[in-house]
Amino acid sequence: MSDRKALIGRITARDEAIDTEREQEGIVLANLGQSVFDSRLAEGKPLEKNKNVVVGITGEIRDLEDALRRLLADDEKRSAIQEEKKSLNVELRNMKNKEEPLLEELGRSAWELWKSGRQIDEKMEEALDNLVKAELRLHAAEDAMLRNENDTGSKVVSILSRGKALVLAGRRKTASAVLDRHWGRAGRNLREIMPPEAFADTPAAVSFSTLKALSKRRNDIAERVKAIADETKALDAMLEDLPGKGGVSKRVTWIENALDKKRAELDDAFRDLGESWIGNTNGKSVDAPVEKLKNEWTAINKRIGVLEDEQKILSAHSDYLESESLRDQKASQISRLEEEIKSRQAALKNLKKELAAIEKNLAAQKESLLPLPVED
């Protein structure tokens, strides 16, 4: 048995060696088929079918690779414009933060001009209307506080008087806050209804100029955001024309899997072409790379042949040892059965003797029996 186990180990080793050689043979045949194809040795009827299969799969791989490159390029472009859009949105927020103090400064500058009696344009009063009203309310609140202070003078201040003073102070504070809010609103109104040239020689010119630049930049950004939306829409439309389904990542995965399958098919097609070339030629080629690969294939086949011959011999010896083992098992079973038969035959002989003695005694008993008595 130990000899047979050793043989089985050697057979297993040969199987593994043959598998390795077969794998290498497939690689060499695929390389041979590709070399035959590249060297234009596949022209002609015997190999035309194999060549056409290679051409077809190669074209499918090329189309998939082109689609993958386009998909990745479009996705890179999509990412770039989305990043640009984010940057533009940040810039818009920053511009808004810059505009608020500029609008307030414009409102204050225009207010000072107006108070100084310089009426640049009839629209200026319209733009400053709310500011004028707010200031009037502030003055009214301040006058009311002053009158209340004059009325009380050095008198003992009653609870009611203190309450009135607090109310008036609150009104003044509210009126002042409202006035502060109107600086920016006034500046916004001025920007919308008055031309920047009207303030060319005034302190408000700088604010107007900066606001004008910001406004132009905002318009540029709006146009660019619209262009980005159009580009994104176009990229989405182009995405639908590419292989696979779903978003970019799913389509990339689908194309990569399809490429793996097609490359495996191409290897098989090259392998078939290599085998067909060997089977349809006299074994010689003027192309050095093809000849080299053919020689490699021949050497591998010889090694496989040697291994298979050795495997047959080892298998035959293993089968013989297995038959020997089976023979010994059967011989042992027969021997045990024969011993059992002998033992049973001896037991049978003794039983027959005992039966004969019982029958002899039974006959003697029968002869000595008297008739049974008659029942009353």
Side-chain angles (χ1 to χ4, degrees):
M1 182 58 70
S2 60
D3 291 341
R4 185 164 181 269
K5 284 183 178 179
L7 284 174
I8 291 174
R10 295 174 68 184
I11 291 171
T12 301
R14 294 300 187 287
D15 286 338
E16 292 174 354
I18 290 173
D19 289 341
T20 300
E21 292 290 355
R22 289 288 184 200
E23 184 176 352
Q24 186 61 28
E25 180 190 30
I27 295 172
V28 171
L29 276 175
N31 291 337
L32 175 61
Q34 184 170 2
S35 186
V36 167
F37 181 83
D38 295 340
S39 302
R40 299 186 178 276
L41 297 177
E43 306 297 335
K45 238 177 182 180
L47 304 179
E48 184 175 2
K49 182 178 179 181
N50 298 105
K51 183 195 75 172
N52 290 338
V53 171
V54 169
V55 171
I57 297 174
T58 302
E60 292 174 358
I61 290 175
R62 188 183 305 111
D63 291 341
L64 286 170
E65 288 176 340
D66 290 343
L68 182 59
R69 281 192 293 270
R70 179 181 167 190
L71 181 61
L72 294 175
D74 287 352
D75 187 50
E76 186 176 351
K77 184 177 180 181
R78 186 194 305 273
S79 299
I81 62 177
Q82 289 304 319
E83 286 299 319
E84 182 185 358
K85 184 178 179 181
K86 290 179 182 178
S87 298
L88 292 175
N89 287 331
V90 171
E91 186 177 352
L92 282 174
R93 288 195 297 271
N94 293 336
M95 285 171 60
K96 184 177 180 181
N97 294 332
K98 291 178 181 178
E99 277 184 341
E100 291 304 323
L102 287 170
L103 289 170
E104 289 183 9
E105 183 179 344
L106 177 59
R108 291 179 186 275
S109 298
W111 178 249
E112 293 298 326
L113 288 172
W114 185 79
K115 285 179 68 176
S116 68
R118 184 172 178 182
Q119 182 71 13
I120 295 179
D121 191 286
E122 61 182 8
K123 294 181 180 179
M124 185 172 177
E125 185 172 356
E126 178 186 346
L128 300 175
D129 181 60
N130 289 329
L131 196 58
V132 171
K133 292 176 181 177
E135 189 184 49
L136 289 174
R137 285 193 292 272
L138 177 60
H139 288 332
E142 290 174 341
D143 290 344
M145 284 184 64
L146 183 59
R147 285 196 301 271
N148 184 62
E149 291 174 358
N150 292 333
D151 290 342
T152 55
S154 59
K155 299 177 183 178
V156 177
V157 180
S158 66
I159 295 176
L160 183 61
S161 298
R162 286 199 298 271
K164 184 178 180 181
L166 289 173
V167 171
L168 292 173
R171 287 180 183 175
R172 181 190 179 282
K173 186 176 181 181
T174 301
S176 178
V178 170
L179 180 63
D180 288 339
R181 286 200 300 272
H182 279 296
W183 294 124
R185 294 175 184 175
R188 190 171 287 105
N189 291 336
L190 288 165
R191 182 182 62 178
E192 291 175 357
I193 67 176
M194 295 189 67
E197 296 78 10
F199 294 88
D201 58 346
T202 70
V206 176
S207 300
F208 247 121
S209 175
T210 307
L211 285 169
K212 182 179 179 181
L214 290 175
S215 180
K216 182 181 182 304
R217 178 55 183 161
R218 179 181 283 104
N219 292 335
D220 292 342
I221 289 175
E223 291 179 3
R224 181 54 188 152
V225 169
K226 183 179 181 302
I228 286 175
D230 293 340
E231 290 177 24
T232 302
K233 187 176 180 180
L235 287 171
D236 290 339
M238 289 188 290
L239 179 64
E240 294 303 318
D241 296 334
L242 295 173
K245 293 181 180 180
V248 174
S249 60
K250 288 185 177 180
R251 290 175 189 263
V252 167
T253 300
W254 189 93
I255 293 176
E256 287 176 343
N257 290 336
L259 279 171
D260 289 340
K261 292 178 181 178
K262 288 300 175 183
R263 285 164 182 155
E265 290 178 14
L266 183 60
D267 285 342
D268 291 339
F270 277 133
R271 193 176 298 113
D272 293 341
L273 177 58
E275 287 181 333
S276 296
W277 182 81
I278 290 173
N280 288 281
T281 62
N282 58 8
K284 292 183 179 180
S285 172
V286 295
D287 188 85
V290 173
E291 184 68 17
K292 180 182 177 182
L293 288 167
K294 186 207 71 175
N295 292 336
E296 285 185 28
W297 176 83
T298 301
I300 291 172
N301 262 273
K302 287 181 179 179
R303 293 197 297 271
I304 291 174
V306 171
L307 289 169
E308 287 178 340
D309 290 342
E310 291 178 353
Q311 189 186 48
K312 289 178 182 178
I313 295 171
L314 291 170
S315 295
H317 279 271
S318 176
D319 292 343
Y320 175 77
L321 292 177
E322 185 179 10
S323 297
E324 272 192 341
S325 176
L326 182 61
R327 180 202 63 187
D328 294 342
Q329 290 177 11
K330 297 301 180 183
S332 176
Q333 289 176 357
I334 291 171
S335 177
R336 289 196 301 271
L337 187 57
E338 285 177 345
E339 290 296 326
E340 185 178 349
I341 290 172
K342 288 180 181 179
S343 175
R344 288 181 176 274
Q345 284 178 340
L348 178 61
K349 186 176 181 181
N350 290 333
L351 287 172
K352 286 181 176 180
K353 287 180 179 180
E354 293 176 1
L355 179 60
I358 292 171
E359 288 179 345
K360 185 178 179 182
N361 182 50
L362 184 62
Q365 287 179 332
K366 186 176 181 181
E367 290 179 2
S368 62
L369 290 175
L370 295 175
L372 289 169
V374 179
E375 296 287 342
D376 294 337

